[in-house]
Amino acid sequence: MVAMSVSRRQMFGFGGAAAAALMLGTGAWDAQSAFAAPALKGDPFTLGVASGDPTSDGVVLWTRLAPDPFAQDGLGGMPATPVRVQYEVALDERFRRVVRRGSVIATPELAHSVHPEVNGLAPDRVYWFRFRAGTAVSPVGRTRTAPAPWDSPRRLRFAFASCQAWQDGYFTAYHHMAQEDLDLVVHLGDYLYESGVKTNKRGVTTDPRFHTETLDLARYRLQYGLYKSEAPLREAHANFPWIMTFDDHEVENNWADEVSENNENPETFLKRRADAFQALYEHAPLRRTQLPKGPDVQMYRRLSYGRLADFTMLDTRQYRDDQPCGDGTSADCAERFDPARTLLGARQRDWVLKGFSRSSARWQILGNQAPMGQTDQDPGPGTTVWMDPWDGYVTERNRLLAEADTRGVRNLVVITGDRHQNYAWDLKRDYTDPASATVGSEFVGTSVTSGGDGADMTAQGETFLAANPHMKFFNSQRGYVRVTLDRERWTSDFRVLPFVTKPDAPISTRASVVVEDKVPGVQI
């Protein structure tokens, strides 16, 4: 993470007492004799429980006390005092064999959220967990640790998802995901949308408090409360550990570092960004290393699944140059080829490249926000692309893919959200050269709800297939991608729903696409 300057730290008041208060909710402070839970009106665990970022010996647990998650002030109906929250981790669902007990302090500064990091667990093992606040007991969560670093597990099974606009439909996909046999879930961004929720495709009239755009901390907290009111989302969080990152809508559409979509005053935007990052942390199973410092947060990180796979989670928002040629689409934007342009920032890019060289994992998985492969919208001789994804940062994309090749990455697979469509395509060293080598594979997953019901094939999909010979599969329904990989093969199952504007949609596998070990590119 780029270090925050003194002026920025002072601007957002991070330090001293404020920092200490925030640290209480992470599990870093644990005196046993203070902050007993007051009598609370209603269930404080309305937002559910979650776990995340599994390692071989532990996970981070999460909950937020909020008996009234729709309280206008964003405080969840809690008093403005710290509250002790106890947690238990067990080998069985009935908690007869508890292996870890502890307590942390839920502070009003972090909206009474807690993030205890539990270590000393056995590798590659299922555990159950729960919280207590006073006499209230949370729902039970299920989590799993990763294999030991030296182990080569037989299989990894996970799902990835993105883009869940509450107003566009029901979160039925998560109910089906919760029934899957998965080791973990990866969320690639747009967990919520910043826009006001007034008209919607659910046929539900929303409360006026949700009609305004999210601009400050109280409103972001309210928006997370709305999204987490969905039982299927809470169910999927409770069943698997999640690895999460953000894209743009957790803050504002298409923001780029300190540049807002509408070029508002940078100081105003950074305050909004700080509020958005804090609200994200308060509602996600993130570790202490992801605790924001004002408008900055360390989100890029790497998690290993034994010697089978490495997850390299990217941050393509905080360090990027502004989109070239005014954002949007362009057929003649020379600026997008500028060698100086960056999506990752120099520090993150170098960290990614060093990871390519150092990793011994069979599968290198990049958790990426917007499509890396070229998305040409012109089936003729021209090339028309969007400026916000990697197509606006061509030289850095080419360098990253070339380095993966030259540094001997055995299998590079990029998993991506953002587009509200399903793609399977080859990653090329240089898309301007028809003879360019294939160096990896990318699977772009559709939205959970964003865009409404969708369709199997669209006119845009037909255009994409005609204009992009590296694209092997297209679909525009809603759902998620289920991945199964072992030492010989990666299989992506595109799990789709026929509708989301009504509840209780069934799910099916629209297609299964394979990547073979040491054979770059996708196979239908």
Side-chain angles (χ1 to χ4, degrees):
M1 179 178 65
V2 177
M4 195 167 45
S5 68
V6 173
S7 61
R8 284 175 72 170
R9 286 180 179 270
Q10 291 173 341
M11 181 192 307
F12 296 98
F14 190 90
L22 291 176
M23 290 300 288
L24 294 179
T26 68
W29 190 93
D30 193 25
Q32 292 294 318
S33 59
F35 307 128
L40 300 175
K41 295 180 180 179
D43 177 14
F45 297 108
T46 58
L47 302 179
V49 300
S51 67
D53 277 22
T55 65
S56 60
D57 73 339
V59 294
V60 58
L61 308 180
W62 171 89
T63 194
R64 178 192 167 199
L65 307 181
D68 181 9
F70 301 153
Q72 188 78 45
D73 59 8
L75 298 179
M78 290 293 294
T81 57
V83 174
R84 178 171 299 283
V85 178
Q86 299 172 323
Y87 62 87
E88 293 179 305
V89 179
L91 294 172
D92 65 300
E93 197 170 2
R94 296 187 177 183
F95 291 82
R96 292 171 176 167
R97 294 179 291 166
V98 174
V99 295
R100 289 289 182 276
R101 283 191 176 94
S103 66
V104 287
I105 306 304
T107 67
E109 289 83 1
L110 281 179
H112 291 94
S113 65
V114 293
H115 304 73
E117 298 180 23
V118 181
N119 299 311
L121 303 179
D124 200 14
R125 185 157 191 169
V126 171
Y127 291 91
W128 284 263
F129 64 95
R130 65 186 176 188
F131 295 91
R132 295 178 185 270
T135 59
V137 182
S138 75
V140 173
R142 177 185 178 277
T143 191
R144 185 173 191 139
T145 53
W150 55 84
D151 281 350
S152 184
R154 181 179 60 86
R155 188 190 76 170
L156 165 62
R157 208 172 201 203
F158 70 95
F160 66 89
S162 64
C163 303
Q164 50 201 51
W166 184 92
Q167 63 270 24
D168 281 3
Y170 292 88
F171 290 2
T172 311
Y174 282 125
H175 172 71
H176 293 292
M177 183 187 291
Q179 314 308 312
E180 303 270 17
D181 176 19
L182 304 176
D183 298 302
L184 55 90
V185 170
V186 180
H187 198 283
L188 295 166
D190 293 345
Y191 188 95
L192 60 66
Y193 282 68
E194 80 283 13
S195 53
V197 180
K198 190 172 184 180
T199 59
N200 62 80
K201 298 175 183 177
R202 294 164 166 247
V204 176
T205 302
T206 56
D207 189 290
R209 75 189 80 181
F210 298 108
H211 291 180
T212 60
E213 185 170 355
T214 50
L215 297 172
D216 58 31
L217 181 57
R219 182 67 182 85
Y220 278 109
R221 287 169 171 170
L222 202 61
Q223 197 85 331
Y224 277 103
L226 176 66
Y227 279 55
K228 284 182 174 290
S229 69
E230 291 293 297
L233 177 58
R234 299 197 307 273
E235 186 181 12
H237 268 301
N239 279 16
F240 316 109
W242 284 39
I243 302 172
M244 296 178 63
T245 188
F246 55 76
D247 191 15
D248 54 339
H249 287 290
E250 286 87 352
V251 181
E252 179 199 51
N253 181 56
N254 279 20
W255 64 277
D257 194 6
E258 297 185 5
V259 181
S260 73
E261 179 183 25
N262 298 313
N263 293 305
E264 65 182 296
N265 180 286
E267 184 174 329
T268 302
F269 177 67
L270 286 174
K271 176 61 170 67
R272 178 181 184 178
R273 204 174 94 176
D275 287 350
F277 284 169
Q278 180 173 333
L280 169 63
Y281 181 81
E282 291 170 350
H283 294 87
L286 296 171
R287 291 183 178 271
R288 195 174 309 144
T289 47
Q290 277 69 63
L291 179 67
K293 296 178 175 64
D296 298 319
V297 62
Q298 175 66 57
M299 193 58 76
Y300 67 82
R301 62 206 191 278
R302 185 173 292 111
L303 296 100
S304 295
Y305 198 81
R307 298 180 65 185
L308 182 62
D310 276 351
F311 289 92
T312 298
M313 303 300 294
L314 303 180
D315 176 349
T316 60
R317 287 289 160 192
Q318 278 192 96
Y319 317 109
R320 67 157 67 197
D321 292 321
D322 195 13
Q323 294 91 345
C325 300
D327 205 349
T329 60
S330 179
D332 56 2
C333 180
E335 185 185 352
R336 73 188 188 96
F337 295 97
D338 184 346
R341 291 187 53 74
T342 182
L343 189 69
L344 300 176
R347 184 175 179 181
Q348 181 180 191
R349 181 183 61 241
D350 292 346
W351 170 82
V352 173
L353 298 182
K354 287 177 182 176
F356 286 163
S357 298
R358 295 172 180 171
S359 175
S360 60
R362 186 173 294 248
W363 300 91
Q364 287 288 330
I365 307 169
L366 295 189
N368 172 56
Q369 286 73 63
M372 185 174 288
Q374 179 170 285
T375 314
D376 186 6
Q377 302 170 53
D378 181 357
T383 301
T384 301
V385 294
W386 282 291
M387 298 294 102
D388 183 65
W390 287 82
D391 280 330
Y393 306 79
V394 174
T395 301
E396 186 165 67
R397 174 179 65 195
N398 290 353
R399 179 183 174 188
L400 185 75
L401 294 176
E403 291 279 2
D405 192 19
T406 58
R407 294 183 186 226
V409 172
R410 180 166 179 151
N411 297 295
L412 177 69
V413 183
V414 179
I415 57 174
T416 300
D418 178 69
R419 196 57 65 79
H420 311 169
Q421 295 166 333
N422 285 313
Y423 310 160
W425 58 16
D426 298 340
L427 292 173
K428 300 285 189 176
R429 264 192 169 215
D430 182 357
Y431 286 96
T432 64
D433 177 6
S436 181
T438 297
V439 296
S441 312
E442 182 174 18
F443 294 98
V444 177
T446 189
S447 63
V448 171
T449 59
S450 300
D453 288 337
D456 183 21
M457 180 56 66
T458 64
Q460 186 178 61
E462 292 173 349
T463 297
F464 286 171
L465 288 168
N468 299 281
H470 54 282
M471 178 181 279
K472 311 300 183 183
F473 173 73
F474 174 93
N475 168 269
S476 191
Q477 292 171 288
R478 306 293 157 245
Y480 56 90
V481 183
R482 181 182 64 199
V483 175
T484 305
L485 63 117
D486 56 29
R487 299 167 195 171
E488 290 76 38
R489 185 175 295 103
W490 169 301
T491 303
S492 287
D493 299 321
F494 291 95
R495 304 279 281 163
V496 300
L497 307 171
F499 53 83
V500 294
T501 52
K502 299 180 292 183
D504 302 324
I507 197 163
S508 61
T509 299
R510 173 60 183 81
S512 296
V513 183
V514 169
V515 179
E516 298 285 355
D517 179 36
K518 299 177 73 173
V519 182
V522 300
Q523 301 178 30
I524 300 293

